[in-house]
Structure formats: structure tokens, C-alpha cells
Amino acid sequence: KRRGLKVYVGDFAMITEAASREAGRVAPRSRKYIYDISKLAFIFGLLRKVARIRRAPVIVMDKDETLTLIGKPLDPTNARIMRDILRAGGILAVLTGAEITRTKRQVIEPLLSQMEGEDHFLKGLYLLSTNGTQMYRYDLESKDYVLVYKIILPEMIGEEAAQRVLSIIVETMDHFAIERRPDLIQREDMGSQITFRPPGTLIEDEQRATFDPDRRKRAEVASYITRRAHEEGIAVEARVAGQVSIDILPLKINKGFGIDKIAEVLGVP
């Protein structure tokens, strides 16, 4: 505020309004700004570092409930912000638990609608799907995203162990009395990870939002899957994700691993 940066008012301040409700009187409306000091400190620290190293920052963001609403496409406002960052030479990376097809449909297609004739700027936007186990970059010749690396779950833990994980999920459903609904797609083998959605994938948004809002139900299920896998010597870990999902990945492979790979591929110190 002291530096006159009005741009921060909407993004880093909570605005409250109050007005007199006395009958027969019209009172001026007053506004109060409560600034989030930690966010401001982070932004100013980031800007100082960018100025010092003279390099565009690499901005890594989640997709669901961060960049987009779960299951929804990128809205026009966020698309324009991403476009402007890419135009300015910034590097963006979307790091998500979703598979690449859904990520392209929900992020890249809406973004391209704001970038007519400017798809070459997508070379600065990297996609890391299934919790960073796969990374894709934009290829200017094919005008599509191509694979940079991919971790295959059966290659890391063994084909037999991967199949056993699927069996443990069935056992888990029996243990917690979870109704089996194969028509709703409860288990999904994504190659790099196995995703278990107790209520299924093909459910309404309202069911998705109310299934497990505090994540406690899935945390108990995930803990059971991890314990059973370790009892059988399978090096995987189950983690709660999104609104209804439980992702099962090799040990030490997570979004933190994805960030390390971004730094490695882009040469970030």
C-alpha cells in the first residue's frame, strides 16, 4: 500500500464494506482493506530475485481447485492471465493428478481460444500429469504436446505387484463396505499411477462435492491401502487427491518429485 501498488488490492486484500442502516438516512459506504502480509512478502521477495538473476520466473500451479474448478475448463480470465505471462516470456508449468488428455482439454483448449495465431507461446507452458510422473512440452512442428519423460508404475514395482495393488483395492472396498459400481469407473489404471474413486468417476458435481469434503473418509481408506501394500512388500503409497480420488504411486514419487524434474529439465538453479 505504501508503494502505491493498487494491483494488489483485489488479489492480496480482503475488502469489507459497511453502511448505516438507520431509517430515513443515507450514509456513505466505507471500505476496509486487510492485507495479507505473507503473500505480499512472498511476491516482493520473488520480484527481487527475478530482478537479481535476470531470468523469467518458473511458475508451477496445480489444476483442480487452483487453476480450474474440478472437472471444468479454464475460465477466460485465467486464460488471459496465462496468455499474458507467456507473451512476456514467463515459464508456466501445470502440475496435476489428472491424466494428460483431460489436462489438454481443460487447460490448453480454452487457452488457445485466447491465443489466436499465437500458439508458439505455448513453448513456455509445460504440462506434468498424473502427479508429475509424466511431463510434456509443446512441439512447434507438430503443434501438439510431446512426451519429455514418463514413469511406468509396473516398471518400478513389477507387473505382478501392480496387479496385486488392483486386488488390494477390491479387498479395501469389501473392508469398508464400499459398493462396487464398475459402470461408474471406480478403478483407473493410468500407467504411471492407479487411481481409486470410491463413489466412481461418472457422478454428478453435487455428489462429488459432498462425498468427502474434509477428506477424513478417504484418508482412512488410503492409510489402509498403503498398509496392506507394505505388508505384501509393495513399495507404493496411497494419497488423497481432489474431491473423490485416492492416487496410488511408487514411494517418493509425488508432486514434489515433479517440481524437482521441472528444475532439472529447465535448468533452474
Side-chain angles (χ1 to χ4, degrees), residues 9-20:
V9 170
D11 295 331
F12 298 98
M14 180 176 65
I15 303 175
T16 60
E17 293 190 356
S20 172

Side-chain angles (χ1 to χ4, degrees), residues 12-244:
F12 298 98
M14 180 176 65
I15 303 175
T16 60
E17 293 190 356
S20 172
R21 293 180 176 271
E22 294 181 35
R25 293 190 59 188
V26 178
R29 186 173 294 274
S30 62
R31 282 189 171 189
K32 182 178 182 181
Y33 299 89
I34 305 173
Y35 288 85
D36 188 327
I37 301 301
S38 61
K39 287 184 178 180
L40 285 171
F42 172 78
I43 291 295
F44 284 125
L46 177 63
L47 292 175
R48 281 195 296 268
K49 184 171 184 179
V50 170
R52 185 173 68 252
I53 66 176
R54 298 180 181 277
R55 173 184 177 136
V58 177
I59 303 172
V60 183
M61 66 200 80
D62 187 22
K63 184 178 75 67
D64 291 334
E65 295 297 309
T66 302
L67 190 59
T68 69
L69 295 176
I70 291 180
K72 303 298 182 182
L74 185 69
D75 68 67
T77 298
N78 282 345
R80 287 192 291 270
I81 291 171
M82 292 180 69
R83 177 201 64 194
D84 292 344
I85 293 173
L86 292 170
R87 280 176 174 173
I91 305 296
L92 301 178
V94 178
L95 177 54
T96 174
E99 74 279 6
I100 185 61
T101 302
R102 180 149 54 100
T103 304
K104 288 167 64 177
R105 183 177 67 251
Q106 294 177 352
V107 177
I108 301 304
E109 291 179 11
L111 179 58
L112 282 173
S113 70
Q114 303 290 332
M115 300 176 66
E116 186 174 351
E118 297 181 301
D119 64 289
H120 57 281
F121 285 120
L122 289 179
K123 68 180 185 296
L125 174 57
Y126 293 80
L127 304 179
L128 288 92
S129 61
T130 52
N131 291 293
T133 58
Q134 303 173 27
M135 183 176 187
Y136 296 82
R137 63 171 179 81
Y138 190 71
D139 181 67
L140 294 174
E141 292 186 8
S142 64
K143 293 187 177 297
D144 198 2
Y145 274 83
V146 297
L147 187 68
V148 176
Y149 74 81
K150 181 177 183 178
I151 290 174
I152 307 297
L153 180 63
E155 290 181 359
M156 293 198 69
I157 66 174
E159 185 66 45
E160 185 177 340
Q163 290 301 314
R164 182 62 191 134
V165 169
L166 294 173
S167 299
I168 289 174
I169 292 175
V170 174
E171 174 192 320
T172 301
M173 295 174 74
D174 292 338
H175 181 81
F176 289 94
I178 298 170
E179 182 184 3
R180 298 189 191 184
R181 292 293 306 273
D183 57 312
L184 297 179
I185 310 178
Q186 292 167 299
R187 297 183 301 165
E188 190 172 2
D189 187 347
M190 298 183 179
S192 298
Q193 71 181 34
I194 295 171
T195 296
F196 173 43
R197 301 180 182 93
T201 303
L202 307 177
I203 59 175
E204 299 295 330
D205 289 347
E206 185 177 348
Q207 292 175 276
R208 192 182 301 276
T210 59
F211 171 69
D212 183 30
D214 61 5
R215 297 187 162 207
R216 292 182 182 180
K217 187 188 305 183
R218 283 176 295 153
E220 186 178 357
V221 174
S223 178
Y224 180 86
I225 293 173
T226 299
R227 178 171 62 80
R228 285 291 297 113
H230 291 179
E231 287 174 353
E232 301 203 14
I234 304 173
V236 297
E237 184 177 1
R239 305 184 188 93
V240 174
Q243 288 180 307
V244 300

